[in-house]
Amino acid sequence: MAPRSSITKRWLLNSFGIIVVIMVAMVIGVSAAMHSFYYNSASQYIRTRAAAVSARLESAAADAGSDFNAQLYELVQDFEYKDRIELMALDAEGQVFLTSSGFMPQDTTMPDLAMARENGESGSFTGRWDGQKIMAVTVLSSLSGEDLLGLRYVVSMQAIDRQLTLITVFAALVALAILLFVLYTSSYFMNSIIVPVGEVSRTARQIAQGDFDVRLDTHNDDEIGQLCASINNMAEELRNDFISSVSHELRTPLTAIRGWGETLLSDDDLDPETRRKGMQVIMGETERLSQMVEELLDFSRIQGGRMVLTRENVDLAAELSDVVLMYTERARRESKTLLYEEPEGVIIVYADRNRLRQVFINILDNAIKYSDGGDTVAVTLTTISGSAVISVADTGIGIAPEELPRVKDRFYKGKSSRRGSGIGLAVADEIIKMHGGSLKLTSRKGEGTTVTITLPLARG
C-alpha cells in the first residue's frame, strides 16, 4: 500500500492541488467580477435617473410663472421610480425634509453628502444604513436662491446581494462539479498506473524471495506493459541463472565423486595409498555437497523469511575458540599459521549458538581457503562500546577492488579459481544482520582480506 499512498499523495498535493487552487481562484474571480458589474450598473442607473430629475428641476426653476417648491414636492412625491429608488430632498442644513415614500428616516446623515460637498457636485455611499444594505447617491443642486441643497437617491442592495450570492453558489457548484469530474477521471487514470505498479512490486518481491515462475500480465501495449515484459524477462533470466549457478556448483563435486568412484570400482589393483586418497576425495566432496545444500536451504529460508533464530545467552569467546580449534590442524597440514589469543573472561551475546558457529566456520574456512602456504590467519575478539568485535585477517590472495562490493552477493565468486558455492558469505551476512550486527570486508589484491563482525553484547 505504500506506493499507492505515496503516488496518490503526490498527485493530490501537486496536480489536483493546483486544480483546486485554480477553481477557487475562478470562483472568487467570478464573484468579484459580478459584484463589480452589478454595483456599477446600479450606480449608473441611479445617476441616469438623477440627471433626468435635475433637468426637470432646472426647467421648473426657469419657469417664472410656476411655484418651484410646489413643483419640487410634486416631483418627489410622484417620482415614477419610487418603487425601486427612494428620492429624498435635502435642505440647506443637509437634513431630509421630503421623501418619495412619505416616511422620514431616523438617521439622515450619510457619507455621500460630505463627499458631494467636498467635490462640489455629487457623492456616493454603499453600506448599511437604517438596518439594511443600500447604495446612496447625493447630487447637489445647481439652483441658486432656492432652499434646496440637493437630492439623495437611495437603492436597496439586498436583492442584488441575493443575486450575487446565487451566482457565487452556482459558480462554486460548477467548480465542484469540475473538481469531482477531474477527480473521477484522474482516479481512473491513476488506478491504471498504480494497480500495475503494485503488481510489479509484489512480483518483484516474489522474485527476490526465489519464486522465479511468477509472471506479470502484459496485455497493455504501453510503458507499463513494457515494464511488465522486462520484469518477466528478468525473472526468466534469474531462474536460468539460478539453475545454471546451482548446476555448476553441484557438477564439480559430483564429477570428482563419480570419477574416483569409477576408478575405485574398475581397478582392483590400486595401491592402498591411491585408494585412500580417492576415498578422502569422495568424503571431502560429499561433505562439500552437504554444506552446499545446507547453505542453499539456509539462503532459501532467509529469503522467504522462514529462518527462526533460537536465541540464548552465548559465551562468544568459547564458541569462537571451538571453531578455531577445528581449523588448527587443517592450517598446520597446509603450512598456514592460525593465530588466536582467547580473551580473558566471558563475552556474552544474546544469539543463536548454532548460527553463530555456522558464520565463524564460513569465515575461517574462506580465510584458510584463499591463503597460500606460509600465509597467516589472525583471529581476534574484543569489546568496544557495548559491542563484541570479531576480526579474521589473512595474508592471502586478497580481493580485487572491482569485486569487493559484490563478494556478499549470492553466487558471486569473482575470478578466483578456488572452489566455493558463492552463497556462504551471503548467508553469513544475513545471519549477522538478523542478530542486529554487521559484517564488513576490507581487502587488497595480493595482500589479504580482513572480515570484521560486530555483534551487540547481551544486556545485563
Side-chain angles (χ1 to χ4, degrees), residues 410-429:
R410 61 181 182 180
F411 298 118
Y412 184 78
K413 297 194 301 176
K415 299 177 181 179
S416 173
S417 61
R418 308 196 184 190
R419 299 177 301 176
S421 67
I423 60 174
L425 197 58
V427 171
D429 183 52

Side-chain angles (χ1 to χ4, degrees), residues 95-398:
Q95 299 298 315
V96 177
F97 68 90
L98 182 64
T99 66
S100 59
S101 64
F103 296 99
M104 301 300 291
Q106 296 178 353
D107 184 7
T108 60
T109 59
M110 280 192 290
D112 57 316
L113 178 57
M115 293 175 60
R117 282 173 167 169
E118 183 178 346
N119 60 38
E121 183 177 354
S122 65
S124 63
F125 163 73
T126 302
R128 302 202 68 82
W129 180 72
D130 205 17
Q132 63 177 324
K133 181 76 173 291
I134 58 98
M135 176 182 288
V137 176
T138 294
V139 179
L140 298 181
S141 174
S142 59
L143 304 175
S144 59
E146 303 293 346
D147 189 21
L148 176 67
L149 177 63
L151 295 174
R152 173 180 288 154
Y153 303 83
V154 181
V155 174
S156 173
M157 303 301 289
Q158 291 181 340
I160 291 178
D161 283 349
R162 284 195 297 270
Q163 185 68 22
L164 289 174
T165 300
L166 289 176
I167 292 174
T168 302
V169 171
F170 179 75
L173 291 175
V174 171
L176 181 61
I178 293 174
L179 288 176
L180 292 175
F181 176 75
V182 170
L183 185 62
Y184 174 77
T185 55
S186 299
S187 297
Y188 178 80
F189 174 72
M190 291 290 291
N191 284 332
S192 69
I193 296 176
I194 293 173
V195 172
V197 168
E199 289 295 327
V200 169
S201 178
R202 286 189 292 273
T203 302
R205 283 196 297 269
Q206 289 179 269
I207 294 173
Q209 293 172 0
D211 184 3
F212 301 124
D213 292 325
V214 65
R215 292 294 182 271
L216 287 165
D217 183 9
T218 57
H219 290 328
N220 295 327
D221 187 19
D222 53 15
E223 289 81 357
I224 297 293
Q226 294 172 10
L227 176 61
C228 292
S230 298
I231 294 292
N232 289 340
N233 292 335
M234 181 189 71
E236 187 66 29
E237 291 296 326
L238 286 174
R239 182 176 67 174
N240 293 338
D241 181 65
F242 178 81
I243 294 173
S244 175
S245 298
V246 173
S247 299
H248 175 75
E249 295 302 329
L250 295 176
R251 186 185 298 116
T252 302
L254 287 174
T255 300
I257 292 172
R258 180 177 180 178
W260 274 105
E262 290 176 348
T263 299
L264 294 175
L265 285 174
S266 62
D267 192 347
D268 295 331
D269 298 329
L270 283 176
D271 59 275
E273 181 61 26
T274 302
R275 187 178 297 275
R276 186 182 66 81
K277 181 179 179 181
M279 292 301 296
Q280 286 179 341
V281 170
I282 290 174
M283 292 299 295
E285 294 300 326
T286 302
E287 178 64 26
R288 183 178 166 216
L289 273 176
S290 177
Q291 181 181 351
M292 191 182 305
V293 171
E294 189 62 34
E295 288 176 348
L296 285 169
L297 290 174
D298 285 342
F299 192 81
S300 176
R301 293 188 192 103
I302 291 171
Q303 293 298 302
R306 300 186 302 275
M307 177 175 280
V308 179
L309 299 179
T310 305
R311 297 197 183 193
E312 58 182 325
N313 285 336
V314 176
D315 183 356
L316 194 61
E319 294 301 321
L320 185 58
S321 297
D322 288 346
V323 175
V324 171
L325 185 61
M326 288 170 53
Y327 282 90
T328 300
E329 180 58 26
R330 174 182 165 184
R332 187 190 62 78
R333 289 197 311 267
E334 297 179 7
S335 301
K336 301 169 186 176
T337 303
L338 180 56
L339 302 176
Y340 173 63
E341 184 176 349
E342 186 172 347
E344 295 181 1
V346 295
I347 298 177
I348 304 299
V349 294
Y350 188 63
D352 187 317
R353 185 189 307 272
N354 293 327
R355 292 303 176 186
L356 283 188
R357 182 179 288 259
Q358 177 182 347
V359 171
F360 297 154
I361 288 174
N362 178 272
I363 301 302
L364 269 174
D365 185 76
N366 284 343
I368 294 175
K369 180 190 303 180
Y370 294 104
S371 297
D372 295 321
D375 284 334
T376 299
V377 177
V379 182
T380 61
L381 172 59
T382 58
T383 57
I384 302 175
S385 301
S387 297
V389 180
I390 303 104
S391 174
V392 180
D394 65 68
T395 58
I397 62 175

